[in-house]
Structure formats: C-alpha cells, structure tokens
Amino acid sequence: MTPSISIDTLIEKLNHQDELLLLDIRSKEEFESKHIPKAIHIPGEELPHGLPLHADQVLLVTICGKGGGRSEQAAQKLIFLGFQAKFLEGGTHEWFEKGI
C-alpha cells in the first residue's frame, strides 16, 4: 500500500514549514488550468527526471486531479527509486473544494 497524506495534514506541514516538495504530476494543460500553490510541475511519466537536487532529502508529495490514481502510481515509483514520497488524498479537486 502506498503511503498517502491528507489535505489537512499537508496544510499543517506547510504551516510549520516542514521540508517537503509538492509535485503536480498532471499534464501541462491541467497544471496551467489550476494548481496548488508552491507545487512544481513534473509530468508523472517524466519522473524522476526534473526533480531538484535536494529531492532526496525531503518528503515528496505527488498530486493529481482526484488523488489516488496517477499520483499514487507516481509515489510508488519514487519510493521504488529510494525517495520518501506520499500521494495527496483528494488531489487538486479537493484542495480547491475546501477553498484553501
């Protein structure tokens, strides 16, 4: 089972300035349409290419539209490659539904 993180826990970590990196793994069009602030765009099929140099030292949070499909697969891939990663439950849709 791939580890996940809830939106509430993510907000708490962001408020405490925990070391993490938000990775929006959707298409360029989806990302440009709407994305979570501070998220960087790296399409899932391109991972791990494009990750910043410090990516192996922080928690990577993968994000897609609804959370659990593409983002879970991306987190699994990153974990397999030795990164610390979780996928965001509810994804971008739930983030904006909550009005954050």
Side-chain angles (χ1 to χ4, degrees):
M1 188 162 131
T2 307
S4 63
I5 187 169
S6 70
I7 288 178
D8 292 336
T9 301
L10 177 61
I11 291 168
E12 185 178 309
K13 288 184 172 294
L14 289 170
N15 287 339
H16 287 95
Q17 298 180 347
D18 288 358
E19 293 279 335
L20 50 87
L21 184 61
L22 305 180
L23 303 175
D24 192 315
I25 55 95
R26 300 174 300 153
S27 71
K28 179 181 178 183
E29 294 77 21
E30 289 173 301
F31 180 79
E32 289 176 349
S33 170
K34 187 184 278 189
H35 62 272
I36 295 173
K38 298 185 181 181
I40 63 170
H41 179 242
I42 302 176
E45 63 274 3
E46 293 181 16
L47 289 171
H49 304 289
L51 288 174
L53 292 177
H54 74 287
D56 61 342
Q57 300 170 16
V58 298
L59 172 63
L60 304 177
V61 178
T62 58
I63 303 165
C64 67
K66 296 181 181 175
R70 294 176 286 174
S71 60
E72 183 174 4
Q73 291 173 354
Q76 285 174 344
K77 181 179 183 179
L78 291 167
I79 291 167
F80 178 78
L81 294 170
F83 294 93
Q84 182 184 2
K86 295 182 178 186
F87 73 93
L88 181 62
E89 298 169 6
T92 305
H93 292 232
E94 188 173 324
W95 177 277
F96 287 103
E97 280 180 7
K98 288 189 171 213
I100 302 166

